[in-house]
Amino acid sequence: MTDCKKHDSHDHVHGPGCGHQAIEHDGHVDYLHDGHLHHAHDGHYDEHTIAVSETNPDACTPDHRCGGHEEGHVHGPGCGHEAVPHGDHIDYLVDGHLHHVHGDHCDDHGPVKLVSS
Ligand SMILES: [Zn+2]
Ligand SMILES: [Zn+2]
Ligand SMILES: [Zn+2]
Ligand SMILES: [Zn+2]
Ligand SMILES: [Zn+2]
Ligand SMILES: [Zn+2]
Ligand SMILES: [Zn+2]
């Protein structure tokens, strides 16, 4: 299914307590790291992407009320939320949900399972 997209020269080892948010993805655990989803694989890290699915649709939800952050919060680098690769775009992790910046609102692209470390 997924081909092996290798992350070059990664000198950090992800694991419980490493400081990166771990999430459950397709039955395994990945780590969010600078907007990448890292999966330990055979001595290197693969880049994973959350697939667009029924659970995580790629849809506009203009009626979504952004709980978890103030209304008018604009996601972006350094906004305080983790960036998560989803389909062909980047979402932000808010309270276990994927938020997608869309015009003046956030789309809700579904839940992800957080793994506490
Ligand atoms: Zn990476
Ligand atoms: Zn880490
Ligand atoms: Zn994965
Ligand atoms: Zn939208
Ligand atoms: Zn944000
Ligand atoms: Zn949002
Ligand atoms: Zn998305």
Side-chain angles (χ1 to χ4, degrees):
M1 34 167 262
T2 47
D3 51 345
C4 185
K5 235 177 114 195
K6 214 164 146 181
H7 181 106
D8 298 326
S9 58
H10 189 284
D11 56 8
H12 168 88
V13 177
H14 295 298
C18 78
H20 298 113
Q21 178 65 57
I23 69 169
E24 198 179 304
H25 175 228
D26 279 348
H28 57 258
V29 174
D30 292 335
Y31 289 86
L32 287 173
H33 186 192
D34 289 343
H36 294 171
L37 194 52
H38 281 169
H39 179 64
H41 178 232
D42 210 11
H44 60 263
Y45 284 96
D46 289 343
E47 310 286 7
H48 279 188
T49 301
I50 295 179
V52 174
S53 66
E54 242 171 77
T55 313
N56 297 114
D58 190 3
C60 180
T61 60
D63 297 330
H64 175 60
R65 291 254 182 88
C66 279
H69 63 63
E70 285 171 35
E71 224 169 294
H73 174 87
V74 179
H75 299 291
C79 77
H81 299 109
E82 293 278 3
V84 184
H86 177 219
D88 59 1
H89 58 269
I90 296 290
D91 289 339
Y92 291 87
L93 183 63
V94 180
D95 279 350
H97 278 73
L98 296 177
H99 278 201
H100 180 62
V101 179
H102 189 214
D104 61 354
H105 61 270
C106 289
D107 292 337
D108 179 10
H109 283 182
V112 292
K113 265 194 202 161
L114 304 183
V115 178
S116 49
S117 51

